[in-house]
Amino acid sequence: MFERLTEIICNYVETEPEHIHPDSRFMEDLGFTSFDFMSMLGELEDEFDVEIDQQEVADLRTVQEAVDYLEKLTDEQ
């Protein structure tokens, strides 16, 4: 899950996969804008066939938090 999310992140921001770590913060460390983040969420819904709750993801700050959230959603299916 982390590796796939890293690939997707690289579609939205100019960074190399090796610079993305579980504790990387989307806005502060990776340079995401709110628009980038929302666009990525749409791709994640398609990629993992899940429905992301906008209120729940508003609190996601790090890549690991996103991985944990996606794993929870895919486990519920």
Side-chain angles (χ1 to χ4, degrees), residues 11-42:
N11 293 335
Y12 291 90
V13 291
E14 304 250 342
T15 191
E16 297 299 319
E18 59 269 13
H19 295 137
I20 300 173
H21 307 286
D23 61 347
S24 295
R25 298 169 297 178
F26 287 103
M27 307 293 183
E28 297 88 341
D29 300 327
L30 300 176
F32 269 78
T33 64
S34 296
F35 180 78
D36 293 332
F37 190 73
M38 297 309 287
S39 297
M40 182 188 71
L41 293 178

Side-chain angles (χ1 to χ4, degrees), residues 32-67:
F32 269 78
T33 64
S34 296
F35 180 78
D36 293 332
F37 190 73
M38 297 309 287
S39 297
M40 182 188 71
L41 293 178
E43 183 173 343
L44 293 174
E45 286 182 324
D46 293 341
E47 176 71 23
F48 296 105
D49 194 30
V50 294
E51 188 169 325
I52 293 175
D53 183 308
Q54 301 298 323
Q55 290 182 322
E56 288 182 9
V57 295
D59 294 331
L60 297 182
R61 298 287 179 254
T62 68
V63 174
Q64 186 60 52
E65 288 172 359
V67 167

